[in-house]
Amino acid sequence: MDQPIEVVSRLEAAWNLHDMQAFGALFSKTASFVNRFGRYVHGVDQIIEMHAPIHETIYSDSTLSNELIDVEEIVEEVAVVHFWSRLTVGLAHPAGPHTMDTLVLAVLASRNGIWTISALENVTLTNPRTGEAMLRGDL
């Protein structure tokens, strides 16, 4: 990636192709990832290992749509990117077709002019009173 803002479209594209090698290439070798259930993994190999099986099964017919919220370069060559992510899953998912929204925080760093993700956290939007997942329009 030439600019940190590209993370939004590149993650979406890799997900929608179900190409976990392309997905992993967006991360630094030592990146951390926290999924929407709070599972923490460290290193690009673990990030790919966490995502590959779900893309072969329950998310095999899923699509992702990302929408930028903001990008802030906090120091030279380090940026924080926030974006909305809407995941639509199909019949491959045990719960059947449904849609969920998450808020993503990604920390990116530039090394030799190439931006990669150093840390990413994905939080599912939920109703604080019931714990049920909600969509952004329900906020």
Side-chain angles (χ1 to χ4, degrees):
M1 294 179 279
D2 295 326
Q3 298 294 322
I5 194 171
E6 292 176 42
V7 69
V8 177
S9 61
R10 298 256 185 135
L11 278 171
E12 179 181 305
W15 184 282
N16 290 340
L17 291 171
H18 306 285
D19 183 343
M20 294 302 98
Q21 294 305 312
F23 186 82
L26 301 172
F27 293 84
S28 69
K29 289 186 192 314
T30 60
S32 62
F33 192 105
V34 179
N35 75 5
R36 67 187 196 92
F37 301 107
R39 180 174 173 205
Y40 168 86
V41 294
H42 187 260
V44 71
D45 291 339
Q46 287 186 7
I47 293 168
I48 293 169
E49 186 178 298
M50 179 170 65
H51 287 87
I54 59 176
H55 278 270
E56 293 168 0
T57 57
I58 64 171
Y59 288 164
S60 62
D61 59 355
S62 69
T63 57
L64 195 67
S65 176
N66 294 333
E67 181 182 331
L68 178 69
I69 298 171
D70 59 31
V71 177
E72 180 181 357
E73 192 164 340
I74 54 177
V75 296
E76 188 174 345
E77 299 183 332
V78 177
V80 173
V81 181
H82 289 95
F83 58 96
W84 294 111
S85 188
R86 176 162 285 177
L87 178 65
T88 302
V89 298
L91 293 172
H93 197 281
H98 62 282
T99 301
M100 66 196 80
D101 282 343
T102 62
L103 178 60
V104 178
L105 179 149
V107 178
L108 288 86
S110 176
R111 294 172 185 88
N112 301 317
I114 304 298
W115 288 86
T116 57
I117 303 165
S118 297
L120 187 143
E121 184 167 355
N122 193 15
V123 178
T124 301
L125 295 183
T126 58
N127 180 322
R129 292 188 174 100
T130 66
E132 292 181 60
M134 11 183 324
L135 298 177
R136 289 188 338 226
D138 298 335
L139 292 176

Coordinates of all heavy atoms in Angstrom, one line a residue, residues 76-118:
E76 N 5.2 10.6 12.0 CA 5.6 10.3 10.6 C 5.7 8.8 10.4 O 6.3 8.1 11.2 CB 7.0 11.0 10.3 CG 7.4 10.9 8.9 CD 8.7 11.6 8.6 OE1 9.1 12.5 9.4 OE2 9.3 11.4 7.5
E77 N 5.0 8.3 9.4 CA 5.1 6.9 9.0 C 4.3 6.0 9.9 O 4.5 4.8 9.9 CB 6.5 6.4 8.7 CG 7.2 7.2 7.6 CD 8.6 6.7 7.3 OE1 9.2 6.1 8.2 OE2 9.0 6.9 6.1
V78 N 3.4 6.5 10.8 CA 2.5 5.7 11.6 C 1.1 6.4 11.6 O 1.0 7.5 11.8 CB 3.0 5.6 13.1 CG1 2.0 4.8 13.9 CG2 4.4 4.9 13.1
A79 N 0.1 5.6 11.2 CA -1.2 6.1 11.1 C -2.2 5.2 11.7 O -2.0 4.0 11.8 CB -1.6 6.3 9.6
V80 N -3.3 5.8 12.2 CA -4.4 5.1 12.8 C -5.6 5.3 11.8 O -5.9 6.4 11.4 CB -4.8 5.6 14.2 CG1 -6.1 4.9 14.6 CG2 -3.7 5.3 15.1
V81 N -6.2 4.2 11.4 CA -7.4 4.2 10.5 C -8.5 3.6 11.1 O -8.4 2.5 11.7 CB -7.0 3.5 9.1 CG1 -8.2 3.5 8.2 CG2 -5.8 4.0 8.5
H82 N -9.7 4.3 11.1 CA -10.9 3.7 11.6 C -11.9 3.6 10.4 O -11.9 4.4 9.5 CB -11.6 4.7 12.6 CG -11.0 4.8 13.9 ND1 -10.1 5.8 14.2 CD2 -11.1 4.0 15.0 CE1 -9.6 5.6 15.4 NE2 -10.2 4.6 16.0
F83 N -12.6 2.4 10.4 CA -13.5 2.3 9.3 C -14.6 1.3 9.7 O -14.4 0.5 10.6 CB -12.9 1.8 8.0 CG -12.1 0.5 8.0 CD1 -12.7 -0.7 7.6 CD2 -10.8 0.5 8.4 CE1 -12.0 -1.8 7.6 CE2 -10.0 -0.6 8.4 CZ -10.6 -1.8 8.0
W84 N -15.8 1.5 9.1 CA -16.9 0.6 9.3 C -16.7 -0.6 8.4 O -16.2 -0.4 7.3 CB -18.3 1.3 9.0 CG -18.7 2.4 9.9 CD1 -18.7 3.7 9.5 CD2 -19.1 2.3 11.2 NE1 -19.1 4.4 10.6 CE2 -19.4 3.6 11.7 CE3 -19.2 1.2 12.1 CZ2 -19.8 3.9 12.9 CZ3 -19.7 1.5 13.4 CH2 -20.0 2.8 13.8
S85 N -17.2 -1.7 8.8 CA -17.1 -2.9 8.0 C -18.4 -3.6 8.1 O -18.9 -4.0 9.2 CB -15.9 -3.8 8.5 OG -15.7 -4.9 7.6
R86 N -19.1 -3.9 7.0 CA -20.3 -4.6 7.0 C -20.1 -6.0 6.3 O -19.7 -6.0 5.2 CB -21.4 -3.8 6.2 CG -22.7 -4.7 6.1 CD -23.9 -3.8 5.7 NE -24.3 -3.1 6.9 CZ -25.3 -2.2 7.0 NH1 -26.0 -1.9 5.9 NH2 -25.6 -1.6 8.1
L87 N -20.3 -7.0 7.1 CA -20.2 -8.4 6.6 C -21.5 -9.0 6.3 O -22.4 -9.0 7.2 CB -19.4 -9.2 7.6 CG -19.2 -10.7 7.3 CD1 -18.3 -10.8 6.1 CD2 -18.7 -11.4 8.5
T88 N -21.7 -9.5 5.1 CA -22.9 -10.1 4.7 C -22.6 -11.6 4.4 O -21.7 -11.9 3.6 CB -23.5 -9.5 3.4 OG1 -23.8 -8.1 3.7 CG2 -24.8 -10.2 3.1
V89 N -23.2 -12.5 5.2 CA -22.9 -13.9 5.0 C -24.1 -14.6 4.4 O -25.3 -14.1 4.5 CB -22.6 -14.6 6.4 CG1 -21.3 -14.0 6.9 CG2 -23.7 -14.5 7.4
G90 N -23.9 -15.7 3.7 CA -24.9 -16.4 3.0 C -25.3 -17.7 3.7 O -25.2 -17.9 4.9
L91 N -25.7 -18.6 2.8 CA -26.2 -19.9 3.3 C -25.2 -20.8 3.9 O -25.5 -21.8 4.6 CB -26.9 -20.7 2.1 CG -28.2 -20.0 1.6 CD1 -28.6 -20.7 0.3 CD2 -29.3 -20.1 2.6
A92 N -23.9 -20.5 3.6 CA -22.8 -21.3 4.2 C -22.7 -21.2 5.7 O -22.2 -22.0 6.4 CB -21.5 -21.0 3.5
H93 N -23.2 -20.1 6.2 CA -23.1 -19.8 7.7 C -24.2 -20.6 8.4 O -25.4 -20.7 7.9 CB -23.3 -18.3 7.9 CG -22.9 -17.9 9.3 ND1 -23.6 -18.2 10.4 CD2 -21.7 -17.4 9.7 CE1 -23.0 -17.7 11.5 NE2 -21.8 -17.2 11.1
P94 N -23.9 -21.3 9.5 CA -24.9 -22.1 10.3 C -26.1 -21.3 10.7 O -27.2 -21.8 10.8 CB -24.1 -22.5 11.5 CG -22.7 -22.5 11.1 CD -22.6 -21.3 10.1
A95 N -26.0 -20.0 10.9 CA -27.1 -19.1 11.3 C -27.9 -18.7 10.1 O -28.9 -17.9 10.2 CB -26.7 -17.9 12.1
G96 N -27.5 -19.0 8.9 CA -28.1 -18.6 7.6 C -27.7 -17.2 7.2 O -26.9 -16.6 7.9
P97 N -28.3 -16.7 6.2 CA -27.9 -15.4 5.7 C -28.2 -14.3 6.7 O -29.3 -14.3 7.3 CB -28.8 -15.2 4.4 CG -29.2 -16.6 4.0 CD -29.2 -17.4 5.3
H98 N -27.3 -13.4 6.9 CA -27.5 -12.3 7.8 C -26.3 -11.3 7.6 O -25.4 -11.6 6.9 CB -27.6 -12.7 9.3 CG -26.3 -13.3 9.8 ND1 -26.0 -14.6 9.6 CD2 -25.4 -12.8 10.6 CE1 -24.9 -15.0 10.2 NE2 -24.5 -13.9 10.8
T99 N -26.5 -10.1 8.2 CA -25.5 -9.0 8.0 C -25.1 -8.5 9.4 O -25.9 -8.5 10.3 CB -26.2 -7.9 7.2 OG1 -26.6 -8.3 5.9 CG2 -25.2 -6.7 7.0
M100 N -23.9 -8.2 9.5 CA -23.4 -7.6 10.8 C -22.4 -6.5 10.5 O -21.8 -6.4 9.4 CB -22.7 -8.7 11.6 CG -21.4 -9.2 11.0 SD -20.9 -10.7 11.8 CE -21.9 -11.9 11.0
D101 N -22.4 -5.5 11.4 CA -21.5 -4.4 11.3 C -20.5 -4.4 12.4 O -20.8 -4.8 13.5 CB -22.3 -3.0 11.4 CG -23.0 -2.7 10.2 OD1 -22.7 -3.2 9.1 OD2 -23.9 -1.8 10.3
T102 N -19.3 -4.0 12.0 CA -18.2 -3.9 13.0 C -17.5 -2.6 12.7 O -17.6 -2.0 11.7 CB -17.2 -5.1 12.8 OG1 -16.5 -5.0 11.6 CG2 -17.8 -6.4 13.1
L103 N -16.8 -2.2 13.8 CA -15.9 -1.0 13.7 C -14.5 -1.5 13.8 O -14.2 -2.2 14.7 CB -16.3 0.0 14.9 CG -15.4 1.2 15.0 CD1 -15.6 2.1 13.8 CD2 -15.8 2.0 16.2
V104 N -13.7 -1.1 12.9 CA -12.3 -1.5 12.8 C -11.4 -0.4 13.1 O -11.5 0.7 12.6 CB -12.0 -2.1 11.4 CG1 -10.5 -2.5 11.3 CG2 -12.9 -3.2 11.0
L105 N -10.4 -0.7 14.0 CA -9.3 0.2 14.2 C -8.0 -0.5 13.7 O -7.7 -1.6 14.2 CB -9.2 0.5 15.7 CG -8.0 1.4 16.1 CD1 -8.4 2.2 17.4 CD2 -6.7 0.7 16.4
A106 N -7.3 0.2 12.8 CA -6.1 -0.4 12.3 C -4.9 0.6 12.5 O -5.1 1.8 12.2 CB -6.2 -0.7 10.8
V107 N -3.8 0.1 13.0 CA -2.6 0.9 13.1 C -1.7 0.4 12.0 O -1.4 -0.8 11.9 CB -1.9 0.7 14.5 CG1 -0.6 1.5 14.6 CG2 -2.9 1.1 15.6
L108 N -1.2 1.4 11.2 CA -0.4 1.1 10.1 C 1.0 1.8 10.2 O 1.0 2.9 10.8 CB -1.0 1.5 8.7 CG -2.2 0.6 8.3 CD1 -3.5 1.1 8.9 CD2 -2.2 0.6 6.7
A109 N 2.0 1.2 9.7 CA 3.3 1.8 9.7 C 3.9 1.7 8.3 O 3.7 0.7 7.5 CB 4.2 1.1 10.7
S110 N 4.7 2.7 7.9 CA 5.4 2.7 6.6 C 6.8 2.3 6.8 O 7.5 2.9 7.6 CB 5.3 4.1 6.0 OG 6.0 4.1 4.7
R111 N 7.2 1.3 6.1 CA 8.6 0.9 6.0 C 9.1 0.9 4.6 O 8.5 0.2 3.8 CB 8.8 -0.5 6.7 CG 8.5 -0.5 8.2 CD 8.5 -1.9 8.7 NE 8.0 -2.0 10.1 CZ 6.8 -2.1 10.5 NH1 5.8 -2.1 9.6 NH2 6.5 -2.1 11.8
N112 N 10.1 1.7 4.3 CA 10.6 1.8 2.9 C 9.5 2.2 2.0 O 9.5 1.8 0.8 CB 11.3 0.6 2.5 CG 12.5 0.2 3.4 OD1 13.2 1.0 3.8 ND2 12.5 -1.1 3.7
G113 N 8.6 3.1 2.4 CA 7.5 3.6 1.6 C 6.3 2.7 1.4 O 5.4 3.0 0.7
I114 N 6.3 1.5 2.0 CA 5.2 0.6 1.9 C 4.5 0.5 3.3 O 5.1 0.3 4.3 CB 5.7 -0.9 1.6 CG1 6.5 -0.8 0.3 CG2 4.6 -1.8 1.5 CD1 5.8 -0.4 -1.0
W115 N 3.2 0.8 3.2 CA 2.4 0.7 4.4 C 1.8 -0.7 4.7 O 1.3 -1.3 3.7 CB 1.2 1.7 4.3 CG 1.6 3.1 4.4 CD1 2.1 3.9 3.3 CD2 1.7 4.0 5.5 NE1 2.4 5.2 3.8 CE2 2.1 5.2 5.1 CE3 1.3 3.8 6.9 CZ2 2.3 6.3 6.0 CZ3 1.5 4.8 7.8 CH2 2.0 6.1 7.3
T116 N 2.0 -1.2 5.9 CA 1.4 -2.4 6.3 C 0.7 -2.2 7.6 O 1.0 -1.3 8.4 CB 2.4 -3.5 6.4 OG1 3.4 -3.1 7.3 CG2 3.0 -3.9 5.1
I117 N -0.2 -3.2 7.9 CA -1.0 -3.1 9.2 C -0.1 -3.7 10.3 O 0.4 -4.8 10.1 CB -2.3 -4.0 9.1 CG1 -3.1 -3.4 7.9 CG2 -3.0 -3.9 10.4 CD1 -4.3 -4.4 7.5
S118 N 0.1 -3.0 11.3 CA 0.8 -3.5 12.5 C -0.1 -4.1 13.6 O 0.3 -5.0 14.3 CB 1.6 -2.3 13.2 OG 2.6 -1.8 12.3

